[in-house]
DNA sequence: CTGTTAGCGCCTTCAT
DNA sequence: ATGAAGGCGCTAACAG
């Protein structure tokens, strides 16, 4: 490298100073440092990576780059990476197993040192297969091998908490706007809803369950569907906050007051849920913490350390969209 | 490489097939393709990059990875990159000029082929300096050199549109929740507010202007401040949607109806603004398009092509938080 | 303490 | 049409 020439030393010496690999005499060090500053030189990370076999890059697979759900987790990842020298390349799988696998192959070709997979539709086995090439930490899966780790939230329990809260407030006709029926989290949340009802001796009415797709529009549609079929209910549990927002709008359009006429509970506790009108009662997912902990764990695996790290549990956040039934 | 050995050819031949650089006999091609498939080989991008001098990576600098404002733009970037072979490494400057510069240096060391800078506090001159190393496309700046390009929205005009809309509805006492006074966009939006008022012959009342910081909480605080100082007004213009959300909540807490008692206008048209209660009247920024166009332009510059691409203008979206004053 | 050498994986002349 | 050789920028092993 030309810093070496500029400073009148060999490339190795420069390298040694840059990496602190060995002792170097003070005068040469000064000269090199000066040359570096003057040329504002920074080592070519691609060359470094090629040589050392580590790119100092980790890959993140999200499903939707502009969903507050993933973005809050990404914030945790970003903070977790701070000061580690690692950078991240973020790709999106768009909730498509095929695309996820593609993206992971892309990351692998780029020699990322590890991968964080946020949710997704890929089978656990596929994840395990990829994990032979690079360590993978994933959310929404219960994995635990030498090079693959999963963090799974107790969705069933979370949903139970939500519905139980409603029941305690005296509600007995509780509608449920579910997630996509092929989504594992959605299935588990439905199970929690069912259990809470059963436990309270409330018969499950299939008419009160409408399938959504986790987006606002589907929450709105689901709500309208409930009205169109003349269902009677005093509360609604939406499988995620986004669909709760949509349901809220449908209610507003009908002139139905929340929580006075109907109570509403969401799931996720997105940042925006503290500022809806009224603020949304919901089940809090520790999204930021998940991102941080996943990152930390991945770094541990990469550096051959132990993988500890527990994620905080789901938690009911009572705000202002629920009230005792009159 | 071992694919070569496996297929009984030289590495050069494999490379030629991979890159379509030269004609290769069909039998050898088959052999190589088979070997590649069997070993599921993918070329090491770091080695490729080192050799070719292009990393097929672009760097994105956002200010806040979990803000819907940036995320919507990122979605445009992501789509713009689709199918190009480029991946992106996303870093955050956290609205700090020093940190932005740091992040850019990091991207440069990683040999990104170009940089997209979304907003930020760095001076134009600094951007220009960095652009000598790699092309930079930035939002929120009016730049146009061989290797630096900026897209600037007409904030003054946007704010004017918002306030003009309120004036047309008969409002004359219009409060303004501004952005940070050291933010260029904020300053321009204030100018638009001022001009609309002046044009309508309405005296500007400094008491009606409260500084916020673009976040929900500050919108809420600003609103309360207005009430605490007993200001009279029938409409509020918030400098961005997030602070409008906060203002909305403050209004709700006071039992003031929107739009019946007070009208509210935001700025940005975030995805969530269609689902607030009621849906927010706002100035639409073409965030997604900005991301797409910025990406496209950057790729053009990188490949030595011409830089065209116009961004759609700001636009008033009338939803349900504004109404004619009684 | 420091310079020389070799090689990370790939592509690109240059020969053949 | 194809193989051999050299080098992208850097670091680690080996001498000295």
């Amino acid at each position: 490298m030309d810093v070496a020439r500029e400073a009148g030393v060999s490339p190795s010496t420069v390298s040694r100073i840059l990496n602190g690999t060995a002792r170097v005499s003070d005068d040469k060090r000064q000269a090199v440092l000066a040359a570096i500053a003057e040329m504002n030189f920074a080592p070519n990370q691609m060359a470094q990576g090629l040589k050392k076999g580590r790119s100092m890059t980790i890959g993140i697979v999200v499903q939707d780059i502009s969903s507050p759900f993933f973005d809050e987790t990404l914030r945790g990842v970003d903070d977790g990476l701070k000061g580690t020298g690692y950078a991240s390349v973020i790709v999106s799988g768009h909730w498509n197993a095929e695309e996820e696998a593609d993206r992971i192959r892309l990351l692998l070709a780029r020699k990322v040192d590890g991968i964080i997979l946020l949710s997704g539709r890929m089978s656990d086995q596929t994840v395990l297969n990829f994990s032979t090439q690079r360590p993978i930490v994933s959310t929404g899966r219960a994995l635990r091998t030498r090079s693959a780790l999963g963090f799974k939230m107790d969705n069933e329990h979370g949903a139970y908490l939500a519905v139980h809260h409603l029941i305690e407030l005296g509600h007995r006709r509780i509608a449920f706007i579910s997630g996509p029926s092929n989504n594992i989290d959605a299935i588990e949340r439905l199970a929690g809803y069912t259990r809470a009802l059963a436990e309270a001796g409330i018969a499950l009415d299939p008419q009160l369950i409408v399938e959504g797709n986790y987006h606002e529009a589907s929450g709105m549609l689901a709500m309208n569907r409930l009205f169109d079929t003349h269902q009677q209910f005093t509360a609604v549990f939406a499988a995620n906050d986004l669909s709760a927002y949509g349901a809220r709008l449908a209610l507003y359009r009908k002139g139905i007051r929340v929580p006075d006429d109907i109570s509403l509970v969401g799931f996720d506790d997105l940042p925006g849920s503290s500022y809806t009108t009224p603020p949304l009662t919901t089940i809090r997912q520790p999204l930021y913490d998940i991102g941080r902990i996943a990152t930390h764990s991945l770094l541990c695996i990469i550096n051959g350390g132990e993988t500890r790290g527990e994620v905080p549990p789901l938690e009911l956040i009572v705000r202002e969209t629920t009230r005792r039934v009159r």
Side-chain angles (χ1 to χ4, degrees), chain A:
Chain A
M1 54 190 98
D2 32 1
V3 188
R5 195 163 8 77
E6 175 81 13
V9 301
S10 79
S12 335
T13 302
V14 177
S15 171
R16 283 191 264 261
I17 293 176
L18 250 22
N19 299 291
T21 315
R23 310 194 46 169
V24 175
S25 73
D26 238 30
D27 50 340
K28 290 197 192 288
R29 158 168 277 112
Q30 296 313 327
V32 170
L33 257 22
I36 288 179
E38 187 191 345
M39 315 177 58
N40 67 56
F41 165 88
N44 180 329
Q45 290 238 23
M46 297 210 299
Q48 262 183 195
L50 181 58
K51 174 70 199 178
K52 305 215 232 193
R54 27 173 38 227
S55 59
M56 294 307 282
T57 303
I58 70 169
I60 321 283
V61 183
V62 299
Q63 303 304 324
D64 179 351
I65 187 91
S66 68
S67 148
F69 179 87
F70 290 104
D71 296 328
E72 190 57 14
T73 312
L74 282 181
R75 197 166 62 82
V77 172
D78 196 51
D79 278 1
L81 249 29
K82 188 169 294 172
T84 63
Y86 281 88
S88 62
V89 6
I90 301 174
V91 298
S92 174
H94 298 111
W95 291 112
N96 176 164
E98 220 19 86
E99 196 168 346
E100 276 170 59
D102 255 14
R103 299 294 112 185
I104 290 187
R105 275 187 283 269
L106 177 151
L107 293 174
L108 257 14
R110 282 174 185 273
K111 298 298 171 201
V112 294
D113 296 332
I115 293 176
I116 292 180
L117 173 59
L118 300 180
S119 205
R121 296 227 198 286
M122 225 165 57
S123 74
D124 284 11
Q125 188 51 53
T126 313
V127 176
L128 254 18
N129 290 152
F130 280 125
S131 78
T132 59
Q133 310 202 41
R134 286 289 189 266
I136 299 186
V137 172
S138 174
T139 61
R141 302 168 194 276
L143 261 35
R144 188 170 203 91
T145 70
R146 177 162 291 291
S147 60
L149 177 66
F151 291 106
K152 181 140 184 53
M153 302 309 293
D154 191 344
N155 287 292
E156 199 271 352
H157 177 65
Y160 172 84
L161 251 31
V163 178
H164 182 253
H165 167 61
L166 256 9
I167 291 173
E168 274 200 320
L169 291 175
H171 296 275
R172 297 192 58 88
R173 297 285 299 168
I174 303 172
F176 180 45
I177 300 176
S178 78
S181 56
N182 63 351
N183 175 273
I184 176 71
D185 295 350
I187 294 169
E188 294 171 357
R189 288 174 199 177
L190 173 58
Y193 166 80
T194 306
R195 177 162 66 93
L197 253 34
E199 202 178 284
I202 300 172
L204 184 131
D205 180 352
Q207 301 264 61
L208 250 26
I209 302 178
V210 184
E211 183 172 336
N213 67 4
Y214 283 152
H215 290 289
E216 290 101 329
S218 87
M220 182 153 152
L221 257 30
M223 203 72 232
N224 288 335
R225 169 91 168 285
L226 252 10
F227 289 131
D228 293 349
T229 56
H230 305 95
Q231 303 303 320
Q232 300 297 318
F233 53 92
T234 59
V236 179
F237 170 40
N240 74 336
D241 282 5
L242 252 27
S243 53
Y245 299 168
R248 173 75 188 94
L249 180 53
L251 258 5
Y252 172 78
R253 293 243 183 282
K254 293 272 184 202
I256 297 172
R257 294 166 305 168
V258 174
D260 311 73
D261 301 324
I262 283 192
S263 286
L264 178 63
V265 183
F267 198 116
D268 281 346
D269 192 23
L270 299 180
S273 296
S274 315
Y275 285 94
T276 55
T277 314
L280 185 67
T281 292
T282 189
I283 302 297
R284 161 159 245 278
Q285 292 219 58
L287 267 11
Y288 174 84
D289 295 305
I290 290 174
R292 253 192 107 90
I293 294 171
T295 305
H296 182 77
S297 304
L298 181 62
L299 260 25
C300 282
I301 297 180
I302 290 176
N303 299 314
E306 255 323 284
T307 307
R308 51 216 162 88
E310 276 295 295
V311 167
L314 296 176
E315 178 186 7
L316 171 70
I317 305 288
V318 178
R319 286 201 272 251
E320 305 165 39
T321 53
T322 48
R323 60 169 275 181
R324 182 160 296 283
V325 70
R326 286 164 307 178

